[in-house]
Amino acid sequence: MDDLASLIARHASGDGMHDMPVPGLAVIRYSHPTDRVPVLHEPAVCIIAQGAKVVLLGEEAYRFDRASHLVVSVDLPLVGQVVEATPERPYLCVRVDLEPALLGELMLQQPPEPGGETARGLHLSRTTPEMVDAVGRLLGLLDRPQDTPILAPLIRREIHYRLLTGDQAGIVRQIGAPDSRLSQVNRAIAWIRANFDRPFRMEALAREAGMSPSALHQHFKAVTSLSPLQYQKQIRLQEARRLMLGEARDAQAAGFQVGYESPSQFSREYARLFGAPPARDAARLRAAGPIPVAV
């Protein structure tokens, strides 16, 4: 694990999340504890080599450090906070994106043992030496770019295999199974993300997921801790924040673009999620520098 921390520190040039030339790989570094930051997190495995983090899904808190890693199985609105970090021993984390198609292929070759399924869209697992070794070898390719096209797909395959054979196998298996409840909820999530700026009817969303409206509502909330309408609201607010920071939109234009018809409602719901009205929050973040990431 110390070797993994050294690799991350060498390739993380400063605080923040850094996408690496190896596809689906990112490293994260923070020299100080951070505020709570809401983000939309895509499916990935996140391994901490140094420091600690708390992630909130609704009212549930998940704390992880170098002894455990986080697996996120669907696009989830999370709140993350680095809780252990100093300039001498910064928070260091590596993130590997998950590929449902690769998980499905591995499951066909070696069907995993049944059991262990969980409704939640995230899971904490014990970090094994085998997982650390595989992730370290993937990071090591950054020093050997000529090897990346051949070896990176093989090592990513091994990481997915380790997940399918570890104590998080139940949740990971559902990602790769197209007929699982998680996959059905994921289809509804993908539809909301593609159409977040438009109103929708539960009946239409349920048809998209291949479920009844009541079953969709039940399983959607079990996975994400939110109803579909609450989830859409979080997507809208996250996108509005991105528009203000990344494209310099003013608060009113950002609110209208993401689907709000009432500026006062947009401001009220934005402040409830991010802790300040849109314009004030955007100004504070521009002055503070890089926005902390959730994992």
Side-chain angles (χ1 to χ4, degrees):
M1 190 63 84
D2 290 338
D3 292 340
L4 183 62
S6 296
L7 274 171
I8 297 171
R10 185 148 52 86
H11 292 287
S13 56
D15 283 357
M17 183 168 74
H18 307 270
D19 290 321
M20 297 290 101
V22 175
L25 179 67
V27 296
I28 303 146
R29 174 192 180 114
Y30 280 101
S31 303
H32 302 278
T34 66
D35 295 332
R36 291 184 174 186
V37 180
V39 300
L40 183 70
H41 200 290
E42 297 179 348
V45 55
C46 304
I47 297 176
I48 292 177
Q50 191 167 275
K53 190 102 179 194
V54 172
V55 172
L56 300 175
L57 175 61
E59 300 298 319
E60 299 175 1
Y62 299 80
R63 187 187 189 279
F64 67 118
D65 52 26
R66 63 191 294 165
S68 56
H69 60 272
L70 184 74
V71 177
V72 179
S73 61
V74 297
D75 296 346
L76 283 181
L78 302 176
V79 175
Q81 182 178 26
V82 173
V83 294
E84 287 185 15
T86 66
E88 295 76 25
R89 290 186 60 81
Y91 169 84
L92 298 170
C93 178
V94 58
R95 164 180 166 159
V96 180
D97 294 340
L98 296 181
E99 299 179 32
L102 180 52
L103 289 168
E105 179 185 335
L106 288 168
M107 288 165 57
L108 288 175
Q109 293 184 351
Q110 182 174 332
E113 294 295 326
E117 286 82 1
T118 175
R120 278 289 181 256
L122 59 77
H123 183 72
L124 284 183
S125 293
R126 179 178 60 88
T127 301
T128 64
E130 292 81 7
M131 178 64 78
V132 173
D133 175 65
V135 171
R137 282 184 279 112
L138 190 63
L139 271 173
L141 292 178
L142 297 172
D143 298 323
R144 304 186 305 278
Q146 71 278 8
D147 296 339
T148 298
I150 301 300
L151 295 183
L154 299 177
I155 301 173
R156 285 181 59 83
R157 188 181 184 87
E158 178 184 348
I159 292 170
H160 284 62
Y161 171 77
R162 298 294 178 194
L163 291 171
L164 276 172
T165 56
D167 60 6
Q168 67 286 298
I171 188 173
V172 176
R173 180 169 58 248
Q174 294 181 78
I175 304 174
D179 57 347
S180 70
R181 288 295 192 190
L182 190 70
S183 293
Q184 289 177 297
V185 170
N186 207 16
R187 289 200 290 272
I189 286 173
W191 192 93
I192 293 174
R193 291 201 64 183
N195 301 277
F196 68 87
D197 56 342
R198 297 189 293 164
F200 67 85
R201 294 176 58 84
M202 276 296 295
E203 292 79 4
L205 186 63
R207 284 195 299 272
E208 188 72 25
M211 306 169 75
S212 70
S214 60
L216 174 61
H217 190 277
Q218 175 189 346
H219 291 287
F220 196 103
K221 192 156 190 176
V223 170
T224 68
S225 84
L226 301 169
S227 71
L229 287 174
Q230 290 170 327
Y231 186 94
Q232 182 194 45
K233 182 189 299 183
Q234 293 244 359
I235 299 295
R236 286 180 169 184
L237 295 172
Q238 294 278 3
E239 176 63 10
R241 196 186 212 197
R242 187 195 68 79
L243 289 170
M244 289 188 295
L245 292 173
E247 300 185 17
R249 304 289 174 83
D250 61 50
Q252 184 172 351
F256 279 127
Q257 186 165 338
V258 300
Y260 280 91
E261 297 180 358
S262 166
S264 60
Q265 181 187 6
F266 169 60
S267 181
R268 185 168 58 251
E269 293 183 352
Y270 187 103
R272 191 177 299 129
L273 179 62
F274 295 113
R280 191 192 310 166
D281 177 61
R284 176 182 64 85
L285 290 172
R286 291 189 191 101
I291 303 173
V293 295
V295 292

